[in-house]
Amino acid sequence: MFYREEIQIETTGHRDMHELTCRVEAIAERSGIKNGLVHVFNEGSTGVIGTIEYEPGLERDLPEMLDRLIPPSLDYGHERQWHDGNGHSHLQASLAGPETTIPLANGRLVLGAWQQVFHLEADIKPRTRRIIVTVLGG
Amino acid sequence: MFYREEIQIETTGHRDMHELTCRVEAIAERSGIKNGLVHVFNEGSTGVIGTIEYEPGLERDLPEMLDRLIPPSLDYGHERQWHDGNGHSHLQASLAGPETTIPLANGRLVLGAWQQVFHLEADIKPRTRRIIVTVLGG
Amino acid sequence: MFYREEIQIETTGHRDMHELTCRVEAIAERSGIKNGLVHVFNEGSTGVIGTIEYEPGLERDLPEMLDRLIPPSLDYGHERQWHDGNGHSHLQASLAGPETTIPLANGRLVLGAWQQVFHLEADIKPRTRRIIVTVLGG
């Protein structure tokens, strides 16, 4: 069995985070599928999907950590080629990844009590993001 | 076709690693599914699942590398908020990721000869970990 | 429904990248499956699969970023044990990850206009790589 739905979010640009757990869970419910896997995917090369304890501290820490490891200020080949100022955005998103998969058991996402699904905007300007949620199961 | 089973492990805290390949393969076998995908997921926001050449050198190198990139000693918003000492654990787990998916072919996991499935404890105290293994296929 | 096919590539060694989108899309087409998920997996512990805007700038930036964060020059336990010079290769591949999953909608991979599937060779010598593409869907 298979089901797909999209989530649309508006981001304010670099470092903006969204909590998606409830919306992903609602899609899993609408799917009618009770057991299997739920896949969450950011369409585009400068957005990140993952899981985290979604609270104000880590909402600041995660993008700050990525900017510390992959700073906007370095000299990137992408910049020399395109001059669009988002070389670090691409590298952050490729390293952290645009997708995650979560088990579905008896109609519920299997997540820890402090484990939520997040979207992180790595691009430097506000973006409308399409997030594709796919449910596969039996 | 769909099958799910859980693995439980006891970790000794930060930097502790477990090799899971045999237990994941045994679950795939019990599933009766011969071809498809096997998904391995750590429930909770401070544990990592991935693949690595599982040998004593890298068992030391991987957690050391994560502590070098995301040190326990930095000033994290998570700490200011919660004072539980594991801000770095959350960030390490969100970056390295709590899950992986492996192809299943003719009843065997498709892995390189030196590629094993691991769990890494990123939290600072011993934890009982539930690892959810889902097999989907035809 | 389930379908699997392999891609074989020859890499020139550390930092070599390949664009795989067209070959993955061709496999999805041959599968006859129209909607579901496409999983792309590097067999072996020193290769990376992910998505990126595939252009010459980032083709230089991504391996350079990984070498900056996880340098070949550090003292790794893997080196002391095996003296094969690729400790950093293992760590880069375990962090960046050997696999990705992409939604399949109406027979097409759901990717952004500037989002392609890549393979990155993290090992230090030329390798023949087997990349396993699995399509699951309804």
Side-chain angles (χ1 to χ4, degrees), chain C residues 18-37:
Chain C
H18 282 76
E19 217 264 284
L20 303 176
T21 316
C22 290
R23 296 176 74 174
V24 172
E25 196 130 54
I27 292 173
E29 207 163 300
R30 284 195 289 276
S31 77
I33 300 171
K34 294 294 180 204
N35 292 288
L37 295 173

Side-chain angles (χ1 to χ4, degrees), chain B residues 51 53 55 61 68 104 114-115, chain C residues 44-45 69 77-78 82 94:
Chain B
T51 65
E53 180 181 347
E55 53 84 19
D61 292 334
R68 184 171 54 76
L104 178 72
W114 296 277
Q115 183 179 28
Chain C
S45 49
L69 296 178
H78 182 73
W82 304 102
S94 286

Side-chain angles (χ1 to χ4, degrees), chain B residues 41-66:
Chain B
F41 180 86
N42 174 81
E43 188 192 53
S45 49
T46 50
V48 177
I49 296 281
T51 65
I52 200 163
E53 180 181 347
Y54 205 94
E55 53 84 19
L58 287 166
E59 206 179 338
R60 196 202 75 179
D61 292 334
L62 182 70
E64 193 167 296
M65 177 265 282
L66 287 169

Side-chain angles (χ1 to χ4, degrees), chain C residues 40-112:
Chain C
V40 187
F41 181 86
N42 175 79
E43 188 192 51
S45 49
T46 50
V48 176
I49 296 281
T51 64
I52 200 163
E53 179 181 344
Y54 205 94
E55 53 85 20
L58 287 166
E59 206 179 339
R60 195 202 76 180
D61 292 333
L62 181 70
E64 192 167 296
M65 177 266 282
L66 287 169
D67 273 358
R68 185 172 53 77
L69 296 178
I70 305 171
S73 58
L74 285 192
D75 174 37
Y76 296 110
H78 182 73
E79 285 319 299
R80 292 199 209 154
Q81 200 91 16
W82 304 102
H83 309 285
D84 52 4
N86 71 352
H88 63 291
S89 311
H90 285 282
L91 296 170
Q92 292 182 4
S94 286
L95 184 64
E99 47 107 19
T100 197
T101 303
I102 298 156
L104 179 72
N106 308 316
R108 300 294 304 271
L109 298 179
V110 182
L111 290 168

Side-chain angles (χ1 to χ4, degrees), chain A residues 5 7 13 19 25-26 47 54 56 77 85 87 92 95 108 112 114 117 119 126-127:
Chain A
E5 225 180 277
I7 294 170
E19 216 265 283
E25 196 131 51
Y54 205 93
Q92 292 182 4
L95 183 63
R108 300 294 305 270
W114 295 277
V117 184
H119 181 275
R127 298 286 302 260

